[in-house]
Amino acid sequence: RSAMQLADFAQAAHAFRQASNLAPHDVPMLTALAEALYFASGQRFDGESRAALETALHIDPRLAKALFYRGLAYSQAGQNRPAVQTWTDLVAIAPAGAPYLETVQRQIANAAKAGGIEDFCMRLIDITHRSTGADHRFAGKECILTGLIHTEMLGMNDPYNQCSHHRRMVAAIGR
């Protein structure tokens, strides 16, 4: 962890790799390994970092840091719809007032735009505002939900989170 704080990401990756070999089910360790590898590779994901994330999320599909990085890995690979879905899942399980929510919402908006679903989000927000008189303060949440709705329409599934899309939608609405 000291190597991460000193920005010696290659050394940190080496240390986390050794530690994760000793404790292969230590989810925070696997996530730290993925993060160190990401930074050591110039903020890019490689096969090893993605495998560490997927293993961590297979063990604990609700780990916020791993979900954030999985969404980022999808986004960097040009897989914007799965990125939006992953980050929507993160928002749905995040505690109210979590310090990372604003960052995640920006990532969702960027991925929605890059994935060509931003117009869909904006149309649904406009319809929602006209029909309910909703305050524009909730536009970010509605865009998150419309991303979720859009991915549901495409039949996408999250292999590690079997709760229904509707439950995630209800949970996200409550934020």
Side-chain angles (χ1 to χ4, degrees):
R1 296 189 198 284
S2 298
M4 285 291 285
Q5 292 173 343
L6 296 172
D8 186 352
F9 303 118
Q11 179 61 34
H14 176 73
F16 287 130
R17 188 180 295 113
Q18 288 182 322
S20 66
N21 286 337
L22 296 172
H25 300 292
D26 184 327
V27 175
M29 189 69 62
L30 289 165
T31 304
L33 171 60
E35 181 179 38
L37 289 166
Y38 166 78
F39 283 110
S41 299
Q43 298 185 8
R44 305 301 301 160
F45 290 94
D46 61 14
E48 185 181 9
S49 59
R50 288 185 73 121
L53 282 176
E54 294 307 319
T55 300
L57 287 167
H58 183 70
I59 296 166
D60 182 0
R62 298 174 63 89
L63 187 64
K65 191 176 207 177
L67 283 169
F68 176 79
Y69 280 117
R70 178 201 261 173
L72 191 57
Y74 279 138
S75 180
Q76 284 186 356
Q79 297 174 316
N80 293 297
R81 287 184 173 99
V84 168
Q85 182 64 62
T86 299
W87 287 323
T88 300
D89 292 343
L90 175 54
V91 169
I93 64 169
Y100 53 83
L101 283 174
E102 194 173 308
T103 299
V104 174
Q105 289 172 336
R106 276 194 307 273
Q107 293 287 356
I108 290 170
N110 292 338
K113 183 176 183 177
I117 58 174
E118 181 185 43
D119 290 341
F120 176 81
C121 289
M122 302 302 2
R123 280 195 308 269
L124 196 51
I125 289 169
D126 185 53
I127 290 166
T128 304
H129 285 198
R130 278 189 273 130
S131 65
T132 65
D135 190 320
H136 285 282
R137 290 176 297 162
F138 301 106
K141 290 179 185 176
E142 290 168 11
C143 189
I144 290 168
L145 295 177
T146 55
L148 181 98
I149 291 165
H150 187 68
T151 54
E152 182 174 284
M153 288 177 1
L154 293 173
M156 290 181 60
N157 294 315
D158 180 356
Y160 298 114
N161 187 348
Q162 297 304 315
C163 82
S164 75
H165 293 294
H166 297 290
R167 281 191 184 154
R168 286 190 293 235
M169 196 179 313
V170 169
I173 289 170
R175 302 245 171 262

Short mmCIF file of all heavy atoms in Angstrom, two decimals, residues 57 61-64 66-68 70-71 74 81-95 100-101 104 108 144-145 147-149 151-152 156-169 171-172 175:
data_model
loop_
_atom_site.label_atom_id
_atom_site.label_comp_id
_atom_site.label_asym_id
_atom_site.label_seq_id
_atom_site.Cartn_x
_atom_site.Cartn_y
_atom_site.Cartn_z
N LEU A 57 -15.08 -9.55 -8.11
CA LEU A 57 -16.52 -9.35 -8.22
C LEU A 57 -17.29 -10.67 -8.21
O LEU A 57 -18.46 -10.71 -7.84
CB LEU A 57 -16.86 -8.53 -9.46
CG LEU A 57 -16.50 -7.05 -9.31
CD1 LEU A 57 -16.54 -6.34 -10.65
CD2 LEU A 57 -17.41 -6.38 -8.30
N PRO A 61 -19.89 -9.33 -5.43
CA PRO A 61 -20.39 -8.52 -6.54
C PRO A 61 -20.84 -7.11 -6.14
O PRO A 61 -21.22 -6.33 -6.99
CB PRO A 61 -21.57 -9.33 -7.07
CG PRO A 61 -21.97 -10.21 -5.95
CD PRO A 61 -20.75 -10.46 -5.13
N ARG A 62 -20.75 -6.78 -4.86
CA ARG A 62 -21.19 -5.47 -4.39
C ARG A 62 -20.02 -4.57 -3.96
O ARG A 62 -20.24 -3.54 -3.32
CB ARG A 62 -22.19 -5.64 -3.26
CG ARG A 62 -23.44 -6.38 -3.68
CD ARG A 62 -24.36 -6.66 -2.52
NE ARG A 62 -24.87 -5.46 -1.90
CZ ARG A 62 -25.97 -4.83 -2.25
NH1 ARG A 62 -26.71 -5.30 -3.24
NH2 ARG A 62 -26.37 -3.74 -1.62
N LEU A 63 -18.81 -4.94 -4.29
CA LEU A 63 -17.66 -4.15 -3.88
C LEU A 63 -17.55 -2.91 -4.78
O LEU A 63 -17.29 -3.01 -5.97
CB LEU A 63 -16.38 -4.98 -3.96
CG LEU A 63 -15.13 -4.31 -3.41
CD1 LEU A 63 -15.26 -4.06 -1.92
CD2 LEU A 63 -13.91 -5.16 -3.68
N ALA A 64 -17.75 -1.76 -4.17
CA ALA A 64 -17.86 -0.50 -4.92
C ALA A 64 -16.63 -0.21 -5.77
O ALA A 64 -16.74 0.12 -6.96
CB ALA A 64 -18.15 0.65 -3.97
N ALA A 66 -14.33 -2.18 -6.96
CA ALA A 66 -14.19 -3.12 -8.08
C ALA A 66 -15.24 -2.84 -9.15
O ALA A 66 -14.94 -2.92 -10.35
CB ALA A 66 -14.30 -4.56 -7.58
N LEU A 67 -16.46 -2.49 -8.75
CA LEU A 67 -17.49 -2.13 -9.74
C LEU A 67 -17.08 -0.89 -10.52
O LEU A 67 -17.27 -0.82 -11.74
CB LEU A 67 -18.84 -1.92 -9.06
CG LEU A 67 -19.59 -3.17 -8.66
CD1 LEU A 67 -20.78 -2.83 -7.78
CD2 LEU A 67 -20.05 -3.94 -9.89
N PHE A 68 -16.52 0.10 -9.83
CA PHE A 68 -16.09 1.30 -10.52
C PHE A 68 -15.05 0.96 -11.58
O PHE A 68 -15.16 1.37 -12.74
CB PHE A 68 -15.52 2.34 -9.55
CG PHE A 68 -15.00 3.55 -10.26
CD1 PHE A 68 -15.87 4.52 -10.72
CD2 PHE A 68 -13.65 3.69 -10.53
CE1 PHE A 68 -15.39 5.62 -11.43
CE2 PHE A 68 -13.16 4.78 -11.22
CZ PHE A 68 -14.04 5.76 -11.67
N ARG A 70 -14.43 -1.95 -12.96
CA ARG A 70 -14.99 -2.78 -14.04
C ARG A 70 -15.69 -1.89 -15.07
O ARG A 70 -15.52 -2.06 -16.27
CB ARG A 70 -15.99 -3.79 -13.50
CG ARG A 70 -16.60 -4.63 -14.64
CD ARG A 70 -17.89 -5.26 -14.25
NE ARG A 70 -17.70 -6.65 -13.88
CZ ARG A 70 -18.66 -7.39 -13.37
NH1 ARG A 70 -19.85 -6.89 -13.14
NH2 ARG A 70 -18.45 -8.65 -13.09
N GLY A 71 -16.46 -0.91 -14.59
CA GLY A 71 -17.10 0.03 -15.51
C GLY A 71 -16.08 0.79 -16.33
O GLY A 71 -16.24 0.98 -17.54
N TYR A 74 -14.67 -1.51 -19.02
CA TYR A 74 -15.63 -1.60 -20.14
C TYR A 74 -15.56 -0.34 -20.99
O TYR A 74 -15.53 -0.41 -22.22
CB TYR A 74 -17.05 -1.77 -19.63
CG TYR A 74 -17.45 -3.16 -19.22
CD1 TYR A 74 -18.20 -3.36 -18.07
CD2 TYR A 74 -17.14 -4.28 -20.00
CE1 TYR A 74 -18.61 -4.63 -17.69
CE2 TYR A 74 -17.54 -5.55 -19.62
CZ TYR A 74 -18.28 -5.72 -18.47
OH TYR A 74 -18.68 -6.97 -18.11
N ARG A 81 -22.25 0.42 -23.22
CA ARG A 81 -23.50 -0.04 -22.59
C ARG A 81 -23.22 -0.89 -21.34
O ARG A 81 -23.83 -0.66 -20.30
CB ARG A 81 -24.37 -0.75 -23.60
CG ARG A 81 -25.00 0.24 -24.59
CD ARG A 81 -25.94 -0.43 -25.56
NE ARG A 81 -26.62 0.55 -26.36
CZ ARG A 81 -26.27 0.88 -27.59
NH1 ARG A 81 -25.25 0.29 -28.17
NH2 ARG A 81 -26.95 1.79 -28.25
N PRO A 82 -22.29 -1.86 -21.39
CA PRO A 82 -21.97 -2.58 -20.14
C PRO A 82 -21.37 -1.65 -19.08
O PRO A 82 -21.58 -1.85 -17.89
CB PRO A 82 -20.97 -3.64 -20.57
CG PRO A 82 -21.16 -3.81 -22.03
CD PRO A 82 -21.64 -2.48 -22.55
N ALA A 83 -20.63 -0.62 -19.51
CA ALA A 83 -20.09 0.35 -18.55
C ALA A 83 -21.23 1.07 -17.83
O ALA A 83 -21.23 1.18 -16.60
CB ALA A 83 -19.18 1.35 -19.24
N VAL A 84 -22.20 1.54 -18.61
CA VAL A 84 -23.37 2.22 -18.01
C VAL A 84 -24.09 1.28 -17.06
O VAL A 84 -24.46 1.66 -15.95
CB VAL A 84 -24.32 2.75 -19.11
CG1 VAL A 84 -25.66 3.19 -18.52
CG2 VAL A 84 -23.66 3.90 -19.87
N GLN A 85 -24.27 0.04 -17.46
CA GLN A 85 -24.96 -0.93 -16.60
C GLN A 85 -24.19 -1.16 -15.30
O GLN A 85 -24.76 -1.17 -14.21
CB GLN A 85 -25.16 -2.25 -17.32
CG GLN A 85 -25.91 -3.29 -16.49
CD GLN A 85 -27.33 -2.85 -16.19
OE1 GLN A 85 -28.11 -2.66 -17.11
NE2 GLN A 85 -27.66 -2.67 -14.93
N THR A 86 -22.87 -1.34 -15.41
CA THR A 86 -22.05 -1.58 -14.22
C THR A 86 -22.11 -0.40 -13.27
O THR A 86 -22.30 -0.57 -12.05
CB THR A 86 -20.59 -1.87 -14.63
OG1 THR A 86 -20.57 -3.04 -15.45
CG2 THR A 86 -19.70 -2.09 -13.42
N TRP A 87 -21.97 0.80 -13.80
CA TRP A 87 -22.01 1.97 -12.93
C TRP A 87 -23.41 2.21 -12.39
O TRP A 87 -23.56 2.71 -11.27
CB TRP A 87 -21.47 3.18 -13.66
CG TRP A 87 -19.98 3.15 -13.83
CD1 TRP A 87 -19.05 2.68 -12.94
CD2 TRP A 87 -19.24 3.60 -14.95
NE1 TRP A 87 -17.79 2.82 -13.44
CE2 TRP A 87 -17.87 3.39 -14.67
CE3 TRP A 87 -19.58 4.17 -16.17
CZ2 TRP A 87 -16.85 3.73 -15.57
CZ3 TRP A 87 -18.58 4.51 -17.06
CH2 TRP A 87 -17.23 4.29 -16.75
N THR A 88 -24.44 1.86 -13.14
CA THR A 88 -25.81 1.96 -12.63
C THR A 88 -25.99 1.01 -11.45
O THR A 88 -26.59 1.36 -10.43
CB THR A 88 -26.83 1.63 -13.74
OG1 THR A 88 -26.65 2.57 -14.80
CG2 THR A 88 -28.25 1.72 -13.23
N ASP A 89 -25.44 -0.19 -11.56
CA ASP A 89 -25.48 -1.13 -10.44
C ASP A 89 -24.77 -0.53 -9.23
O ASP A 89 -25.25 -0.67 -8.10
CB ASP A 89 -24.81 -2.45 -10.82
CG ASP A 89 -25.57 -3.23 -11.87
OD1 ASP A 89 -26.77 -2.94 -12.09
OD2 ASP A 89 -24.97 -4.14 -12.45
N LEU A 90 -23.64 0.12 -9.46
CA LEU A 90 -22.90 0.74 -8.36
C LEU A 90 -23.73 1.82 -7.68
O LEU A 90 -23.81 1.88 -6.46
CB LEU A 90 -21.58 1.32 -8.89
CG LEU A 90 -20.72 2.12 -7.90
CD1 LEU A 90 -20.43 1.32 -6.63
CD2 LEU A 90 -19.44 2.56 -8.59
N VAL A 91 -24.36 2.66 -8.46
CA VAL A 91 -25.20 3.72 -7.89
C VAL A 91 -26.35 3.11 -7.09
O VAL A 91 -26.71 3.59 -6.01
CB VAL A 91 -25.73 4.67 -9.00
CG1 VAL A 91 -26.81 5.60 -8.45
CG2 VAL A 91 -24.58 5.47 -9.59
N ALA A 92 -26.92 2.03 -7.61
CA ALA A 92 -28.07 1.40 -6.94
C ALA A 92 -27.71 0.85 -5.57
O ALA A 92 -28.56 0.82 -4.68
CB ALA A 92 -28.64 0.30 -7.82
N ILE A 93 -26.47 0.43 -5.37
CA ILE A 93 -26.09 -0.16 -4.08
C ILE A 93 -25.32 0.81 -3.20
O ILE A 93 -25.05 0.50 -2.04
CB ILE A 93 -25.26 -1.45 -4.26
CG1 ILE A 93 -23.93 -1.16 -4.95
CG2 ILE A 93 -26.07 -2.51 -4.99
CD1 ILE A 93 -22.95 -2.32 -4.93
N ALA A 94 -24.97 1.97 -3.72
CA ALA A 94 -24.17 2.93 -2.96
C ALA A 94 -24.98 3.53 -1.82
O ALA A 94 -26.18 3.78 -1.96
CB ALA A 94 -23.68 4.05 -3.88
N PRO A 95 -24.33 3.76 -0.69
CA PRO A 95 -25.03 4.44 0.40
C PRO A 95 -25.32 5.88 0.01
O PRO A 95 -24.56 6.49 -0.77
CB PRO A 95 -24.06 4.36 1.57
CG PRO A 95 -22.73 4.06 0.98
CD PRO A 95 -22.97 3.39 -0.34
N TYR A 100 -18.25 9.14 -3.89
CA TYR A 100 -17.90 8.83 -5.27
C TYR A 100 -19.08 8.93 -6.23
O TYR A 100 -18.92 8.79 -7.43
CB TYR A 100 -17.28 7.43 -5.36
CG TYR A 100 -18.12 6.34 -4.73
CD1 TYR A 100 -19.17 5.74 -5.42
CD2 TYR A 100 -17.87 5.90 -3.44
CE1 TYR A 100 -19.95 4.75 -4.84
CE2 TYR A 100 -18.62 4.90 -2.86
CZ TYR A 100 -19.67 4.33 -3.56
OH TYR A 100 -20.43 3.35 -2.99
N LEU A 101 -20.28 9.17 -5.72
CA LEU A 101 -21.47 9.15 -6.59
C LEU A 101 -21.40 10.18 -7.71
O LEU A 101 -21.78 9.88 -8.84
CB LEU A 101 -22.74 9.35 -5.76
CG LEU A 101 -23.20 8.12 -4.99
CD1 LEU A 101 -24.39 8.46 -4.11
CD2 LEU A 101 -23.53 6.99 -5.94
N VAL A 104 -19.14 8.90 -10.42
CA VAL A 104 -19.78 7.79 -11.14
C VAL A 104 -20.86 8.32 -12.08
O VAL A 104 -20.97 7.87 -13.22
CB VAL A 104 -20.35 6.74 -10.15
CG1 VAL A 104 -21.15 5.68 -10.89
CG2 VAL A 104 -19.24 6.11 -9.34
N ILE A 108 -21.11 7.78 -16.06
CA ILE A 108 -22.31 7.25 -16.73
C ILE A 108 -22.71 8.16 -17.88
O ILE A 108 -22.99 7.69 -18.99
CB ILE A 108 -23.47 7.07 -15.73
CG1 ILE A 108 -23.16 5.92 -14.78
CG2 ILE A 108 -24.79 6.83 -16.48
CD1 ILE A 108 -24.12 5.81 -13.61
N ILE A 144 -29.37 7.92 -15.23
CA ILE A 144 -28.88 6.62 -14.78
C ILE A 144 -29.97 5.58 -14.99
O ILE A 144 -29.74 4.50 -15.53
CB ILE A 144 -28.48 6.68 -13.29
CG1 ILE A 144 -27.21 7.51 -13.14
CG2 ILE A 144 -28.28 5.28 -12.72
CD1 ILE A 144 -26.90 7.88 -11.71
N LEU A 145 -31.18 5.92 -14.60
CA LEU A 145 -32.28 4.97 -14.74
C LEU A 145 -32.60 4.69 -16.19
O LEU A 145 -32.89 3.56 -16.56
CB LEU A 145 -33.52 5.49 -14.02
CG LEU A 145 -33.37 5.62 -12.51
CD1 LEU A 145 -34.63 6.21 -11.91
CD2 LEU A 145 -33.06 4.28 -11.89
N GLY A 147 -30.51 4.78 -18.61
CA GLY A 147 -29.46 3.87 -19.09
C GLY A 147 -29.78 2.45 -18.71
O GLY A 147 -29.64 1.52 -19.50
N LEU A 148 -30.26 2.27 -17.50
CA LEU A 148 -30.65 0.94 -17.04
C LEU A 148 -31.81 0.41 -17.87
O LEU A 148 -31.81 -0.74 -18.30
CB LEU A 148 -31.05 1.00 -15.56
CG LEU A 148 -31.45 -0.32 -14.96
CD1 LEU A 148 -30.26 -0.91 -14.21
CD2 LEU A 148 -32.60 -0.13 -14.01
N ILE A 149 -32.80 1.26 -18.12
CA ILE A 149 -33.95 0.84 -18.92
C ILE A 149 -33.49 0.45 -20.32
O ILE A 149 -33.89 -0.57 -20.86
CB ILE A 149 -35.00 1.98 -19.00
CG1 ILE A 149 -35.64 2.18 -17.62
CG2 ILE A 149 -36.05 1.68 -20.06
CD1 ILE A 149 -36.41 3.48 -17.50
N THR A 151 -30.54 -0.61 -21.31
CA THR A 151 -29.81 -1.88 -21.32
C THR A 151 -30.77 -3.04 -21.09
O THR A 151 -30.57 -4.11 -21.64
CB THR A 151 -28.67 -1.91 -20.28
OG1 THR A 151 -29.20 -1.60 -19.00
CG2 THR A 151 -27.58 -0.95 -20.64
N GLU A 152 -31.82 -2.80 -20.31
CA GLU A 152 -32.81 -3.86 -20.12
C GLU A 152 -33.52 -4.15 -21.45
O GLU A 152 -33.76 -5.29 -21.81
CB GLU A 152 -33.83 -3.46 -19.06
CG GLU A 152 -34.84 -4.57 -18.81
CD GLU A 152 -35.75 -4.22 -17.67
OE1 GLU A 152 -35.32 -4.30 -16.52
OE2 GLU A 152 -36.91 -3.87 -17.95
N MET A 156 -29.57 -7.02 -21.84
CA MET A 156 -28.28 -7.24 -21.20
C MET A 156 -28.49 -7.78 -19.80
O MET A 156 -29.42 -7.42 -19.11
CB MET A 156 -27.51 -5.93 -21.12
CG MET A 156 -27.05 -5.45 -22.46
SD MET A 156 -26.14 -3.92 -22.30
CE MET A 156 -24.81 -4.45 -21.25
N ASN A 157 -27.59 -8.63 -19.36
CA ASN A 157 -27.62 -9.18 -18.01
C ASN A 157 -26.27 -8.97 -17.36
O ASN A 157 -25.25 -9.01 -18.02
CB ASN A 157 -27.92 -10.68 -18.03
CG ASN A 157 -29.30 -10.95 -18.53
OD1 ASN A 157 -30.25 -10.29 -18.14
ND2 ASN A 157 -29.42 -11.91 -19.43
N ASP A 158 -26.27 -8.79 -16.06
CA ASP A 158 -25.03 -8.73 -15.30
C ASP A 158 -24.80 -10.12 -14.75
O ASP A 158 -25.57 -10.57 -13.91
CB ASP A 158 -25.19 -7.70 -14.18
CG ASP A 158 -23.93 -7.58 -13.33
OD1 ASP A 158 -22.96 -8.34 -13.57
OD2 ASP A 158 -23.92 -6.76 -12.44
N PRO A 159 -23.75 -10.82 -15.17
CA PRO A 159 -23.57 -12.21 -14.75
C PRO A 159 -23.32 -12.38 -13.26
O PRO A 159 -23.53 -13.46 -12.73
CB PRO A 159 -22.35 -12.66 -15.55
CG PRO A 159 -21.63 -11.41 -15.89
CD PRO A 159 -22.67 -10.35 -16.03
N TYR A 160 -22.89 -11.32 -12.56
CA TYR A 160 -22.58 -11.48 -11.15
C TYR A 160 -23.65 -10.94 -10.23
O TYR A 160 -23.53 -11.04 -9.03
CB TYR A 160 -21.24 -10.81 -10.83
CG TYR A 160 -20.13 -11.46 -11.59
CD1 TYR A 160 -19.43 -10.79 -12.56
CD2 TYR A 160 -19.80 -12.79 -11.35
CE1 TYR A 160 -18.42 -11.41 -13.27
CE2 TYR A 160 -18.79 -13.42 -12.06
CZ TYR A 160 -18.11 -12.72 -13.01
OH TYR A 160 -17.12 -13.32 -13.70
N ASN A 161 -24.68 -10.34 -10.77
CA ASN A 161 -25.72 -9.77 -9.92
C ASN A 161 -27.05 -10.22 -10.48
O ASN A 161 -27.52 -9.70 -11.47
CB ASN A 161 -25.61 -8.24 -9.90
CG ASN A 161 -26.55 -7.62 -8.92
OD1 ASN A 161 -27.44 -8.27 -8.38
ND2 ASN A 161 -26.36 -6.34 -8.67
N GLN A 162 -27.66 -11.19 -9.83
CA GLN A 162 -28.86 -11.80 -10.37
C GLN A 162 -30.15 -11.09 -9.96
O GLN A 162 -31.22 -11.52 -10.33
CB GLN A 162 -28.91 -13.27 -9.97
CG GLN A 162 -27.75 -14.08 -10.55
CD GLN A 162 -27.66 -13.99 -12.05
OE1 GLN A 162 -28.66 -14.10 -12.74
NE2 GLN A 162 -26.46 -13.78 -12.57
N CYS A 163 -30.05 -10.01 -9.18
CA CYS A 163 -31.29 -9.32 -8.83
C CYS A 163 -31.85 -8.68 -10.09
O CYS A 163 -31.13 -8.33 -11.00
CB CYS A 163 -31.08 -8.32 -7.71
SG CYS A 163 -30.43 -6.72 -8.17
N SER A 164 -33.15 -8.53 -10.13
CA SER A 164 -33.78 -8.05 -11.34
C SER A 164 -33.42 -6.60 -11.62
O SER A 164 -33.06 -5.84 -10.72
CB SER A 164 -35.30 -8.18 -11.24
OG SER A 164 -35.80 -7.17 -10.38
N HIS A 165 -33.53 -6.21 -12.89
CA HIS A 165 -33.28 -4.82 -13.27
C HIS A 165 -34.27 -3.90 -12.56
O HIS A 165 -33.93 -2.79 -12.20
CB HIS A 165 -33.39 -4.65 -14.78
CG HIS A 165 -32.31 -5.36 -15.53
ND1 HIS A 165 -31.00 -5.00 -15.44
CD2 HIS A 165 -32.36 -6.43 -16.36
CE1 HIS A 165 -30.27 -5.79 -16.19
NE2 HIS A 165 -31.07 -6.67 -16.76
N HIS A 166 -35.47 -4.38 -12.34
CA HIS A 166 -36.47 -3.54 -11.69
C HIS A 166 -36.09 -3.23 -10.25
O HIS A 166 -36.30 -2.11 -9.79
CB HIS A 166 -37.85 -4.22 -11.75
CG HIS A 166 -38.33 -4.39 -13.14
ND1 HIS A 166 -38.73 -3.34 -13.92
CD2 HIS A 166 -38.45 -5.50 -13.91
CE1 HIS A 166 -39.09 -3.78 -15.11
NE2 HIS A 166 -38.92 -5.09 -15.13
N ARG A 167 -35.52 -4.18 -9.54
CA ARG A 167 -35.07 -3.91 -8.17
C ARG A 167 -33.98 -2.85 -8.17
O ARG A 167 -33.96 -1.96 -7.34
CB ARG A 167 -34.53 -5.17 -7.52
CG ARG A 167 -35.59 -6.08 -7.02
CD ARG A 167 -34.92 -7.14 -6.18
NE ARG A 167 -35.88 -8.11 -5.74
CZ ARG A 167 -35.58 -9.35 -5.45
NH1 ARG A 167 -34.35 -9.77 -5.55
NH2 ARG A 167 -36.51 -10.18 -5.03
N ARG A 168 -33.04 -2.94 -9.11
CA ARG A 168 -31.97 -1.93 -9.18
C ARG A 168 -32.58 -0.57 -9.50
O ARG A 168 -32.13 0.44 -8.99
CB ARG A 168 -30.94 -2.33 -10.22
CG ARG A 168 -30.07 -3.47 -9.73
CD ARG A 168 -28.93 -3.66 -10.67
NE ARG A 168 -29.42 -4.13 -11.95
CZ ARG A 168 -29.00 -5.22 -12.54
NH1 ARG A 168 -28.08 -5.97 -11.99
NH2 ARG A 168 -29.50 -5.59 -13.69
N MET A 169 -33.57 -0.55 -10.37
CA MET A 169 -34.21 0.70 -10.72
C MET A 169 -34.85 1.33 -9.50
O MET A 169 -34.68 2.50 -9.21
CB MET A 169 -35.25 0.48 -11.82
CG MET A 169 -35.68 1.73 -12.50
SD MET A 169 -36.89 1.45 -13.82
CE MET A 169 -36.19 0.12 -14.72
N ALA A 171 -34.12 0.79 -6.37
CA ALA A 171 -33.08 1.19 -5.44
C ALA A 171 -32.44 2.51 -5.89
O ALA A 171 -32.16 3.38 -5.07
CB ALA A 171 -32.02 0.11 -5.31
N ALA A 172 -32.20 2.66 -7.18
CA ALA A 172 -31.58 3.88 -7.69
C ALA A 172 -32.53 5.05 -7.57
O ALA A 172 -32.11 6.18 -7.31
CB ALA A 172 -31.15 3.69 -9.14
N ARG A 175 -32.44 7.12 -4.28
CA ARG A 175 -31.26 7.91 -3.92
C ARG A 175 -31.56 9.38 -4.00
O ARG A 175 -32.19 9.90 -4.78
CB ARG A 175 -30.10 7.59 -4.85
CG ARG A 175 -29.78 6.15 -4.80
CD ARG A 175 -28.40 5.94 -4.22
NE ARG A 175 -28.21 4.55 -3.98
CZ ARG A 175 -28.36 3.97 -2.80
NH1 ARG A 175 -28.68 4.67 -1.75
NH2 ARG A 175 -28.17 2.70 -2.63
#
